[in-house]
């Protein structure tokens, strides 16, 4: 039998045996693309991991020292205290001073770090309770004698964790759920999210953990079998633990995501009430992480800020400028590294067009649960930075950086794309998929080229060939070969945009049984409400 969408289903012969040549061919092809996507993801992670020297990401001297000396400090490093009680730890000079010669100097290559030694020095730039700390304890496992190799290994581990966990979640999701995850993540990962996930910055774990937790909750609520529900729940808790042990604010985001998922997917929870334990545990883990560090002290500490033109005018000024924070995931507001590597417009403009276009497109269909969830998450996304800035009288650009807000971005896009009553996301047309693919692949290639150029020679050299007059590099593939490897790798990953656009446009267990049969074949039998008929016809026209 062939469905209206052109897909073959199993055909039984007279002997009662099932022949499924179309099913086998289709699934073998999808599996092959999935394996290629994982390989491409690994190539992309490798390219970004080796593209920068030790100390390149924001505050990496602090994060590296904290990985070398995780809490409790006395058990991992030699510790002394200043007269004011501030702890100091002893770490290699290459750990604490690696970035000092090139940070905030984009024309300066990373060659200057060659003058650093392995001799230990004392520093107070270490986590002593500001961050929850679990991230640093895990990173400490990969510390070796060679500082740069240790840094690259930690970056590879962080990127590999993201690839592995998201691949498992994709396997557990229903088809349209995979489509939703592909659209919501690929549209926003370039360039900042890729950069932070493949770094020593705990913000990378916050981004990975929150995305894994949210999509795993989706998989748990829509699971068609008990084992899928259980495994999805476990993965959701693993993602929550990953985010909560990285940053305190990620713990708060997890609580928001758990509440939003419960509201959005309440019809599935209503049919199987036991699944409510998944968002409850995700919220609990998030709250533990939120209170485990003192990053959020600014929310409760008594401050005496000075507002030059009054509080209301200060708030209005920040409100007019806050979009620059919200679009930070595209690389359009703050540069990479120590905010000293700006991205060309050809990177951030296509990323914004694709991601915001998907959000606008997804808002075609709404119900009260979707509106409430989207409004709540967006309110946190916009309101939290405004509140922090207002309490301390900080203008936009100080105190709060885009990376602090990025974990919420894939969730906002996913909720906007979600189809009430059907689940998942509507598929893009072939033309839309091609345009999105070219925009994202091109943006990633330019971003990676810019990143490698920044440290090989400095941005004052503008030749396309990254090998030309290279001042800094390491053993392994050349700068140009590394760029090709990372660019081709992401181009392979982005092929999932075409994979998820195949198959029926309506396949989700969230639909009521009576509507499911109707939507599957786009037929409108009587009696059905006119609104359902119109909805099904609209989907068929896509």
């Amino acid at each position: 039998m062939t469905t209206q969408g052109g897909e073959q289903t199993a055909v039984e012969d007279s002997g009662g045996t099932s022949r499924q040549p179309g099913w086998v061919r289709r699934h073998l092809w999808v599996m092959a693309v999935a394996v290629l996507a994982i390989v491409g993801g690994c190539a992309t992670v490798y390219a970004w991991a080796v593209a920068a020297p030790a100390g390149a990401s924001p505050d990496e001297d602090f994060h590296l020292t904290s990985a070398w000396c995780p809490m409790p400090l006395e058990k991992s490093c030699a510790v002394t205290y200043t007269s004011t009680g501030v702890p100091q730890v002893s770490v290699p000079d290459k750990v604490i001073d690696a970035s000092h010669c090139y940070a905030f100097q984009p024309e300066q290559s990373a060659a200057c770090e060659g003058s650093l030694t392995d001799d230990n020095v004392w520093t107070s730039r270490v986590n002593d309770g500001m961050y929850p700390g679990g991230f640093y304890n895990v990173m400490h496992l990969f510390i070796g004698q060679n500082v740069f190799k240790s840094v690259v290994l930690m970056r590879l581990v962080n990127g590999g964790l993201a690839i592995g966990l998201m691949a498992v979640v994709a396997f557990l999701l229903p088809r349209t759920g995979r489509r939703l995850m592909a659209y919501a993540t690929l549209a926003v990962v370039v360039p900042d999210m890729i950069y932070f996930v493949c770094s020593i910055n705990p913000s990378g774990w916050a981004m990975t953990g929150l995305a894994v937790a949210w999509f795993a909750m989706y998989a748990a609520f829509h699971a068609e079998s008990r084992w899928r529900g259980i495994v999805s729940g476990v993965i959701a808790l693993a993602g929550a633990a990953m985010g909560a042990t990285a940053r305190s604010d990620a713990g708060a985001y997890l609580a928001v995501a758990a509440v939003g998922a419960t509201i959005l997917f309440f019809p599935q929870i209503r049919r199987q009430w036991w699944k409510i334990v998944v968002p409850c545990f995700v919220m609990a883990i998030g709250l533990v992480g939120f209170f485990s560090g003192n990053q959020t002290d600014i929310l409760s500490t008594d401050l005496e800020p000075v507002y030059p033109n009054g509080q209301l005018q200060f708030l209005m000024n920040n409100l007019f400028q806050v979009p620059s924070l919200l679009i930070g995931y595209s690389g359009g507001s703050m540069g990479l590294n120590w905010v000293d590597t700006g991205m060309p417009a050809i990177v951030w403009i296509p990323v914004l067009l694709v991601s915001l276009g998907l959000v606008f497109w997804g808002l075609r269909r709404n119900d009260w649960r979707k509106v409430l969830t989207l409004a709540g998450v967006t309110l946190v996304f916009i309101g939290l930075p405004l509140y922090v800035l207002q309490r301390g009288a900080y203008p936009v650009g100080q105190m709060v950086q885009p990376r602090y807000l990025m974990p919420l971005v894939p969730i906002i896009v996913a909720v906007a794309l979600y189809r009430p009553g059907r689940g998942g996301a509507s598929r893009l047309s072939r033309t839309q998929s091609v345009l999105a693919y070219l925009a994202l692949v091109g943006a990633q290639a330019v971003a990676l080229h810019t990143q490698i150029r920044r440290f090989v020679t400095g941005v004052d050299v503008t030749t396309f060939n990254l090998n030309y007059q290279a001042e800094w590099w390491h053993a392994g593939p050349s700068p140009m070969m590394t760029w090709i490897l990372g660019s081709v790798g992401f181009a392979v990953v982005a092929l999932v945009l075409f994979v998820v656009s195949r198959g029926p446009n309506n396949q989700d267990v969230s639909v009521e049984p009576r509507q499911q049969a109707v939507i599957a074949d786009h037929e409108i039998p009587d009696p059905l409400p006119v609104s359902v008929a119109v909805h099904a016809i609209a989907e068929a026209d896509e």
Side-chain angles (χ1 to χ4, degrees):
M1 182 180 70
T2 303
T3 66
Q4 187 172 347
E7 297 198 41
Q8 293 182 339
T9 58
V11 179
E12 291 189 358
D13 60 20
S14 58
T17 59
S18 178
R19 295 175 298 164
Q20 299 176 307
W23 184 94
V24 172
R25 285 195 300 268
R26 183 171 65 253
H27 282 70
L28 284 178
W29 182 81
V30 172
M31 289 176 62
V33 173
V35 172
L36 285 174
I38 292 174
V39 174
C42 292
T44 306
V45 167
Y46 170 81
W48 280 93
V50 302
S57 66
D59 300 318
E60 192 165 307
D61 55 340
F62 175 91
H63 299 308
L64 282 179
T65 302
S66 302
W68 249 259
C69 304
M71 297 187 299
L73 301 179
E74 290 78 5
K75 291 188 176 181
S76 55
C77 289
V79 182
T80 186
Y81 292 87
T82 66
S83 58
T84 57
V86 176
Q88 291 185 318
V89 295
S90 178
V91 295
D93 186 27
K94 288 182 179 179
V95 170
I96 190 63
D97 290 326
S99 62
H100 292 178
C101 65
Y102 60 75
F104 309 113
Q105 304 176 65
E107 295 81 13
Q108 173 68 55
S109 74
C112 58
E113 71 167 11
S115 60
L116 300 176
T117 68
D118 292 323
D119 297 337
N120 278 24
V121 296
W122 293 96
T123 179
S124 58
R125 292 273 291 166
V126 66
N127 180 49
D128 189 30
M130 177 179 291
Y131 290 77
F135 170 81
Y136 299 122
N137 292 94
V138 175
M139 293 299 99
H140 184 72
L141 301 176
F142 307 102
I143 300 298
Q145 296 297 320
N146 186 293
V147 172
F148 180 71
K149 289 182 179 179
S150 300
V151 169
V152 170
L153 179 58
M154 286 186 275
R155 291 171 180 169
L156 292 174
V157 168
N158 292 334
L161 278 173
I163 293 172
L165 288 171
M166 295 299 281
V168 172
V169 173
F171 172 76
L172 295 169
L173 284 167
R175 174 180 292 170
T176 53
R178 296 181 195 130
R179 185 183 299 155
L180 180 69
M181 187 175 80
Y183 291 167
T185 54
L186 280 175
V188 299
V189 297
V190 179
D192 281 37
M193 287 191 185
I194 291 181
Y195 171 77
F196 282 109
V197 167
C198 304
S199 75
I200 317 299
N201 196 299
S203 293
W205 267 32
M207 297 171 195
T208 298
L210 208 70
V212 168
W214 198 89
F215 286 106
M217 283 191 288
Y218 181 108
F221 296 146
H222 294 77
E224 298 177 355
S225 61
R226 183 176 295 274
W227 75 266
R228 281 181 178 268
I230 293 174
V231 174
S232 298
V234 171
I235 297 298
L237 299 186
M242 191 175 181
T245 57
R247 293 185 58 91
S248 297
D249 51 8
Y253 297 156
L254 284 166
V256 172
V259 173
T262 302
I263 296 172
L264 190 64
F265 306 132
F266 187 76
Q268 289 73 43
I269 298 175
R270 184 175 56 189
R271 290 195 289 268
Q272 294 178 304
W273 277 101
W274 63 270
K275 291 183 177 180
I276 193 67
V277 301
V278 178
C280 287
F281 275 109
V282 169
M283 179 184 293
I285 292 172
L287 292 177
V288 170
F290 180 77
F291 292 108
S292 296
N294 57 28
Q295 289 174 294
T296 55
D297 283 354
I298 191 173
L299 301 178
S300 57
T301 302
D302 292 331
L303 300 173
E304 297 182 359
V306 176
Y307 304 96
N309 300 311
Q311 293 191 43
L312 181 59
Q313 185 61 46
F314 190 86
L315 176 61
M316 294 302 296
N317 291 340
N318 274 346
L319 185 62
F320 294 156
Q321 296 298 325
V322 78
S324 64
L325 281 177
L326 308 183
I327 66 169
Y329 64 90
S330 68
S333 57
M334 290 189 180
L336 298 183
N337 308 310
W338 289 79
V339 199
D340 60 8
T341 310
M343 289 291 109
I346 200 172
V347 172
W348 61 271
I349 289 179
V351 171
L352 277 182
L353 289 175
V354 173
S355 56
L356 297 182
L358 284 173
V359 169
F360 190 74
W361 183 56
L363 293 177
R364 297 172 305 160
R365 295 182 174 85
N366 305 289
D367 65 2
W368 70 268
R369 281 185 292 268
K370 175 177 174 177
V371 171
L372 181 60
T373 302
L374 186 60
V377 179
T378 304
L379 179 62
V380 174
F381 185 60
I382 300 174
L384 183 60
L386 283 175
Y387 175 75
V388 172
L389 294 172
Q390 187 72 13
R391 273 190 65 85
Y394 300 109
V396 170
Q398 296 182 16
M399 192 63 183
V400 179
Q401 295 192 22
R403 69 177 184 271
Y404 305 156
L405 307 174
M406 286 182 198
L408 287 174
V409 175
I411 296 178
I412 291 174
V413 178
V415 174
L417 285 171
Y418 184 76
R419 300 178 304 173
R422 290 190 169 107
S426 298
R427 63 177 177 230
L428 296 175
S429 68
R430 182 170 298 178
T431 301
Q432 290 172 320
S433 298
V434 169
L435 291 176
Y437 179 85
L438 294 176
L440 296 175
V441 170
Q444 196 277 158
V446 175
L448 180 58
H449 191 279
T450 303
Q451 174 72 348
I452 296 175
R453 168 62 67 203
R454 160 67 181 88
F455 295 106
V456 169
T457 62
V459 297
D460 54 331
V461 177
T462 58
T463 58
F464 175 73
N465 185 359
L466 294 168
N467 298 334
Y468 179 70
Q469 294 183 341
E471 300 171 12
W472 171 84
W473 197 241
H474 46 75
S478 68
M480 201 66 190
M481 184 56 65
T482 299
W483 173 73
I484 293 173
L485 185 65
S487 300
V488 173
F490 186 80
V492 173
V493 173
L495 288 174
V496 300
L497 289 172
F498 300 100
V499 178
V500 297
S501 295
R502 295 166 59 90
N505 209 25
N506 299 289
Q507 178 186 343
D508 196 279
V509 297
S510 65
V511 186
E512 295 297 329
R514 183 181 66 169
Q515 297 179 13
Q516 226 172 11
V518 175
I519 296 171
D521 294 322
H522 306 303
E523 297 175 357
I524 313 297
D526 291 325
L528 264 181
V530 174
S531 59
V532 175
V534 172
H535 205 50
I537 293 171
E539 283 290 306
D541 290 339
E542 293 177 359

